[in-house]
Amino acid sequence: MSPCIWGARVDPQKRLPAEIEALPADYELYPELGDRAIGFLSRGCPMHCPFCIVPLKEGPPHQVSDLDTLLEGGRRRKLILLDDNLLSLAQAEAILEEMASRKIRVNFTQTLDLRFVNRTRAALLRRIDCSNTRFTRPSTISASTTR
């Protein structure tokens, strides 16, 4: 039996086959999305917050898609981004620059971790058309979360 973590049964070692993970979203199933794309550019997180399974389940930050793929080659101009910790990704600045220069409207559904914001990233975030922005405040997470 799988361990029960926060009410969800999970086996952190199980993975979907790569060909399944790489499938694009089937937008016919979600007509309410309209012209919005939804998906992940990255998975994983370097932090080890005691309440979170992401580092165990998904590992360190790694890119899993690109904007062209998620936006169907530019057919969509709005993006609902599901990434857990986009700013911890090594390529974060390049991704933010691309979002800004392509004038993509982005809904960052997860928080943006302030620990990974610097002057360059702050300037890039200001240039992005965000439909919402939430930041994780380091003071709300204990120092023991960084391993």
Side-chain angles (χ1 to χ4, degrees), residues 18-64:
E19 60 272 13
I20 301 296
E21 278 287 346
L23 286 173
D26 185 350
Y27 291 107
E28 289 184 19
L29 295 173
Y30 307 99
E32 66 274 12
L33 289 176
D35 63 347
R36 294 169 291 175
I38 188 169
F40 292 90
L41 287 171
S42 67
R43 295 283 184 112
C45 181
M47 312 314 284
H48 293 270
C49 302
F51 57 84
C52 184
I53 194 170
V54 169
L56 177 64
K57 179 72 176 155
E58 299 178 3
H62 57 284
Q63 191 164 348
V64 296

Side-chain angles (χ1 to χ4, degrees), residues 63-75:
Q63 191 164 348
V64 296
S65 190
D66 58 55
L67 287 169
D68 257 357
T69 301
L70 287 181
L71 298 169
E72 298 183 312
R75 211 178 112 232

Side-chain angles (χ1 to χ4, degrees), residues 1 10-11 15 32 38 44 51 74 86-87 99 121 129 132 138:
M1 173 99 65
V10 295
D11 180 347
R15 301 284 187 266
E32 66 274 12
I38 188 169
F51 57 84
L86 177 69
L87 297 180
M99 288 174 177
R121 291 177 179 185
D129 181 11
N132 75 321

